[in-house]
Amino acid sequence: MKLTTGLFISMLPVLMLTGCTGSKPAGNTTQAAKLLYQGHASYRLTANDGTVIYIDPYAGEGYDVPADIILITHQHRDHNQINLVTQKEGCVIISNVEALEGGKHNTFNIKGIKIEAVMAANANHDPSVCVGYIITINGIQLYHAGDTSKTEQMESFSSKKIDYALLPCDGIYNMNAEEATECAVIIGARNNIPMHTNPRTLFDKEIAEKFNAPNRLMIEAGQEIELTK
């Protein structure tokens, strides 16, 4: 499965790929799943068996660890820089095109990892070409919201018992920190992480501090954490 089509919209200059601590080796069977925040909305997720997923590659460093899966929420250039990522042979790329094929939000199961496309939408992001993803990895559920504001579908997320919710809060192309806080309360995740805080920087701590969600977890660009249940 490869990205072959999709709406490409240039909204922002490419963010300088500096400011992160660099790559770390993929995990092995004795390690917990890990999440590296590369900056902006870019993440590297590593399963405990070493399976590597990149989400919205664009910012920061750490793209040299070969990918098994690449997820693209939409085709704005600050979310879809697949060329940055080192790919394993047979790497699976899922973009909004595949995620919305057939006019519905699709679910994928790859290497024991469940990837569920969900709604993403606001005045700057058409839900017909934008998605978020709920990823189930090693029994942990992680929601990457993509670029969005509050959606009706979020009301159903509380029943999923999400462990980590990654929510944009820049207030320019997405909801602001106040609305993102409201979304966090609706979703009810065990940990709430601000992202996409400022389109001009990897991470804007001042804006992130305004995200007053319960169980807020602040992750700086370049920081990697172990995911726990």
Side-chain angles (χ1 to χ4, degrees):
M1 184 185 302
K2 290 284 184 178
L3 172 65
T4 56
T5 60
L7 178 64
F8 188 96
I9 304 175
S10 175
M11 292 181 66
L12 298 170
V14 174
L15 203 62
M16 293 298 292
L17 301 181
T18 59
C20 288
T21 59
S23 65
K24 299 183 181 180
N28 58 45
T29 55
T30 64
Q31 294 180 323
K34 294 181 179 180
L35 181 71
L36 170 68
Y37 182 36
Q38 295 165 291
H40 198 52
S42 304
Y43 290 87
R44 188 183 76 205
L45 182 59
T46 306
N48 63 9
D49 67 355
T51 300
V52 175
I53 304 171
Y54 288 90
I55 310 170
D56 282 1
Y58 167 68
E61 300 175 354
Y63 295 103
D64 54 325
V65 179
D68 295 279
I69 304 167
I70 302 173
L71 302 179
I72 304 296
T73 61
H74 63 290
Q75 296 301 322
H76 289 167
R77 66 180 299 181
D78 59 321
H79 293 261
N80 71 348
Q81 299 302 306
I82 294 170
N83 60 299
L84 295 175
V85 182
T86 303
Q87 299 179 31
K88 292 181 183 177
E89 184 177 354
C91 175
V92 177
I93 301 173
I94 301 172
S95 75
N96 54 291
V97 177
E98 292 77 23
L100 292 168
E101 188 173 1
K104 58 186 176 63
H105 291 93
N106 295 305
T107 298
F108 308 85
N109 287 281
I110 304 165
K111 293 182 175 289
I113 297 168
K114 181 181 177 182
I115 300 164
E116 179 185 357
V118 296
M119 185 179 183
N122 60 29
N124 299 299
H125 297 89
D126 184 337
S128 68
V129 291
C130 298
V131 297
Y133 293 104
I134 296 176
I135 304 161
T136 304
I137 183 169
N138 302 136
I140 294 167
Q141 290 197 94
L142 182 145
Y143 168 44
H144 187 295
D147 273 10
T148 193
S149 297
K150 183 163 54 178
T151 70
E152 293 179 2
Q153 195 181 24
M154 288 178 183
E155 297 282 354
S156 67
F157 292 172
S158 61
S159 64
K160 294 180 178 292
K161 308 297 183 184
I162 291 170
D163 296 291
Y164 296 85
L166 316 177
L167 298 171
C169 54
D170 60 88
I172 301 172
Y173 299 110
N174 295 288
M175 56 190 169
N176 60 19
E178 181 179 0
E179 186 176 352
T181 299
E182 294 175 11
C183 292
V185 172
I186 292 169
I187 294 164
R190 195 162 53 85
N191 299 280
N192 293 293
I193 301 172
M195 67 167 186
H196 208 301
T197 51
N198 185 328
R200 303 294 178 182
T201 64
L202 293 170
F203 180 72
D204 189 320
K205 190 171 182 179
E206 183 177 352
I207 292 175
E209 291 284 0
K210 296 176 182 178
F211 177 64
N212 293 315
N215 304 312
R216 185 183 69 186
L217 177 59
M218 299 282 280
I219 305 178
E220 300 271 356
Q223 182 180 356
E224 186 172 48
I225 63 169
E226 290 191 351
L227 300 179
T228 60
K229 188 66 180 170

